[in-house]
Amino acid sequence: MPITRIFAWSAMIALATCAFLTDSLPTYGDEPIALAESVSVDELAEKFNLPSNQVEILLKIIEEGKQRSQVMGHLSHLCLEIGPRLTGSTRLETANRWTAERFESFGLKNVEVRQWGELPVRFDRGPSTGEMLKPVERKFEFTTRSWSAGTNGPVEGVVLREPQTEEQFNEMAPRLAGAWILRRNAKEPNPFADRLLSAGIAGMITASADELVRTGGVAGIKELDIDNLAKEVSVLVRRSDYDAMNSRLADGEEVVVKFDLNHRFERGPIPLFNTIAEIPGTEKPDEVVIISAHLDSWDGPGSQGTVDNGTGSSVTIEAARILAAVGVQPKRTIRFILWSGEEQGLLGSSAYVDSLSEEERAKISAVFVDDSGTNQQSSLSCVPGMEAMFRQAIAPMNHAFPDAPLELNISPTMPRGGASDHASFNRVGVPGFFWGKTGRAFYRYAWHTQNDKIDQAVPEYLIKNATVSAIVAYVFAEAETLLPRPEPEAKPTTEGTQRP
């Protein structure tokens, strides 16, 4: 990262964090962010195909979002003060309650930390370290599975290659107690695994395919029993860290490493929550537009839960703040939801959808989900019957950000699935939308990895995303009708036809 960008980014963070602490409303940089070229309200009303009174509100939303953004303040608190937010963890529950407090401070109504489920065991990851001590000192970048066994304090031991034959096992047997076993291929089961564990090894070390270590969780978290948790310790290191150990062993040198894996477990049941808040509708309060993101993240060492999905959560919080600051009084209710359990399979959003009656589902106009990192919102997709309403929403977005216009893609059908919380709604016929994004950030570099830190955030993109989210919420909440539902797809009549 160029040093000039580092200084500029640091200044933005400082301003945003100060704004969060003082509730002032900063502008970023030496000059205010430029608004679009001045055009009369009547001209814009014709251009947007919207009433003049709505255009006046939209201009206020644009000014508030671009000139007085607090999105980086929200993100700083989530990532630096709270940290990564694993489903069921203490940090996520803290984030649920903190976001509810922020919504309340903006003046939103019906703020709720709503329980949707529970887990039998809480997992909290404390500070964790790993390093090579001999023959040279080297800090490792690594991860372990969430809900997996840790160490009882620092555990130092020699590194031995995983045995492949009975002869190799017998040869190393006297040295196995307290040793760390370097696995050649973690995808292939080793016939000596049980005997290695019985011999008292410290744990297994495996290699990532590259320099990224990606965190996931153990299987079956809903059935965990705190009295019968797995004891096996397994660490995933970068490929270069693996090679550093393996090459030294190949040279006949003794390799000694130390890991301190602070994994804490708490007996449940552990409640799981979504955070919900509203700007109630003035004419049709039972009809709803939902702006949302998932608040949970993975919690591997080094991660702060930034691009997946502190950025989307902060955008959702900021969209709520913008609309409240402007004082919108929409016809329909605008509901803001921060989901949890997304990383474990869209659990929080699925539970929410399942809790709704058919009548309640029918009155949800649209659900928007921000969950693809820090890049700028650049596209939406819809079916033909929805096009007119979407173009009314996109016109003021592109007026606000003419150098980065949003595109509308028309698809013949709504998606049936998806990898984020919009899919929970689409499966029951409620229109759910996932923002397409473009920009200079490389999402996969931080996604679920040790690099998911706040230095990956791009402030100007998040400012845009929050403003754009506020715009679509307001336009849809003020529309003459709910967003038209797509026509049901014809059921296949040929026996054996498979879904696409």
Side-chain angles (χ1 to χ4, degrees):
M1 179 184 296
I3 191 68
T4 53
R5 182 182 165 193
I6 293 174
F7 286 148
W9 181 88
S10 299
M12 288 182 178
I13 289 291
L15 282 167
T17 303
C18 178
F20 163 73
L21 294 174
T22 64
D23 285 329
S24 61
L25 301 174
T27 57
Y28 294 123
D30 295 330
E31 298 292 337
I33 297 173
L35 294 175
E37 182 181 351
S38 178
V39 184
S40 74
V41 169
D42 289 340
E43 289 176 302
L44 289 176
E46 182 176 355
K47 179 180 178 181
F48 300 165
N49 191 26
L50 290 170
S52 295
N53 65 319
Q54 291 182 28
V55 171
E56 290 176 349
I57 297 296
L58 285 167
L59 292 177
K60 292 179 181 179
I61 289 170
I62 292 167
E63 180 181 13
E64 182 69 28
K66 296 181 73 171
Q67 302 288 55
R68 292 179 284 278
S69 178
Q70 294 187 29
V71 68
M72 289 304 297
H74 312 318
L75 186 64
S76 296
H77 189 86
L78 279 177
C79 298
L80 301 180
E81 299 300 322
I82 297 175
R85 303 163 301 280
L86 182 73
T87 294
S89 69
T90 302
R91 284 192 291 260
L92 179 57
E93 187 169 339
T94 298
N96 281 126
R97 301 194 184 284
W98 176 78
T99 52
E101 291 171 1
R102 295 308 291 159
F103 286 138
E104 288 176 340
S105 75
F106 304 152
L108 270 64
K109 306 300 182 184
N110 304 321
V111 178
E112 184 180 0
V113 178
R114 181 184 297 179
Q115 183 174 347
W116 58 262
E118 60 186 30
L119 287 177
V121 176
R122 187 194 296 280
F123 178 82
D124 284 320
R125 190 191 301 268
S128 299
T129 59
E131 58 187 322
M132 182 193 296
L133 302 177
K134 295 179 182 179
V136 296
E137 294 184 356
R138 178 187 178 97
K139 299 291 185 183
F140 293 148
E141 293 183 22
F142 68 95
T143 192
T144 61
R145 287 187 178 275
S146 303
W147 295 282
S148 70
T151 60
N152 186 15
V155 175
E156 179 180 325
V158 297
V159 176
L160 302 176
R161 282 174 166 164
E162 181 181 43
Q164 302 298 313
T165 66
E166 187 73 27
E167 181 181 1
Q168 290 175 350
F169 179 83
N170 291 333
E171 180 183 350
M172 67 174 60
R175 296 183 291 157
L176 285 175
W180 290 92
I181 304 302
L182 193 65
R183 298 208 61 194
R184 184 172 66 181
N185 187 344
K187 295 182 179 180
E188 295 181 1
N190 187 284
F192 301 99
D194 290 340
R195 294 165 67 184
L196 290 169
L197 293 171
S198 298
I201 63 171
M204 302 278 194
I205 303 173
T206 60
S208 175
D210 50 31
E211 292 302 279
L212 303 176
V213 289
R214 300 164 183 86
T215 300
V218 303
I221 61 171
K222 294 180 181 179
E223 290 75 42
L224 289 178
D225 179 355
I226 198 166
D227 296 319
N228 293 285
L229 295 173
K231 306 296 184 185
E232 298 85 358
V233 176
S234 183
V235 181
L236 177 72
V237 299
R238 292 178 300 175
R239 170 56 62 176
S240 62
D241 293 326
Y242 175 93
D243 290 344
M245 290 181 278
N246 195 42
S247 63
R248 295 287 183 165
L249 291 172
D251 290 341
E253 298 181 76
E254 182 182 62
V255 176
V256 178
V257 300
K258 179 172 69 175
F259 286 96
D260 186 1
L261 310 175
N262 186 358
H263 295 188
R264 300 188 295 271
F265 298 86
E266 179 184 332
R267 187 182 301 275
I270 304 301
L272 306 172
F273 305 99
N274 296 322
T275 303
I276 303 174
E278 293 180 345
I279 299 176
T282 57
E283 296 180 16
K284 302 177 180 181
D286 56 339
E287 296 183 0
V288 181
V289 178
I290 296 177
I291 303 296
S292 71
H294 74 86
L295 188 59
D296 64 299
S297 73
W298 288 111
D299 66 338
S303 171
Q304 296 170 341
T306 299
V307 306
D308 190 19
N309 186 35
T311 49
S313 296
S314 298
V315 162
T316 301
I317 296 167
E318 177 63 5
R321 188 204 66 81
I322 292 168
L323 292 168
V326 169
V328 298
Q329 296 182 331
K331 295 177 183 176
R332 294 179 183 83
T333 295
I334 303 174
R335 184 173 296 155
F336 304 89
I337 308 182
L338 298 172
W339 315 107
S340 66
E342 190 274 349
E343 298 292 3
Q344 290 71 45
L346 319 183
L347 301 182
S349 57
S350 291
Y352 177 84
V353 170
D354 291 343
S355 73
L356 301 175
S357 67
E358 288 298 325
E359 182 181 7
E360 288 172 319
R361 293 176 186 176
K363 292 187 176 182
I364 297 175
S365 184
V367 180
F368 293 89
V369 171
D370 188 313
D371 177 27
S372 51
T374 190
N375 277 326
Q376 60 185 324
Q377 295 175 357
S378 59
S379 65
L380 286 165
S381 297
C382 71
V383 296
M386 302 173 177
E387 181 177 0
M389 274 184 63
F390 268 100
R391 294 216 179 275
Q392 284 184 315
I394 288 176
M397 297 177 193
N398 291 344
H399 173 76
F401 299 94
D403 295 333
L406 278 88
E407 296 182 357
L408 182 63
N409 302 313
I410 309 302
S411 303
T413 61
M414 290 292 289
R416 289 176 173 176
S420 193
D421 293 298
H422 65 299
S424 298
F425 292 87
N426 281 324
R427 69 175 169 84
V428 297
V430 177
F433 302 94
F434 187 85
W435 293 96
K437 292 184 180 179
T438 56
R440 64 179 181 267
F442 179 38
Y443 180 60
R444 293 283 172 171
Y445 175 75
W447 178 71
H448 296 183
T449 77
Q450 74 273 32
N451 303 314
D452 192 4
K453 301 176 182 179
I454 199 167
D455 63 357
Q456 296 300 302
V458 183
E460 61 266 35
Y461 292 166
L462 302 183
I463 292 170
K464 175 187 176 183
N465 296 350
T467 307
V468 164
S469 295
I471 289 171
V472 75
Y474 178 71
V475 172
F476 276 30
E478 287 289 293
E480 290 299 318
T481 66
L482 293 170
L483 186 67
R485 292 290 202 264
E487 292 294 328
E489 295 181 50
K491 294 182 179 180
T493 56
T494 303
E495 187 174 339
T497 300
Q498 296 182 346
R499 289 186 177 184

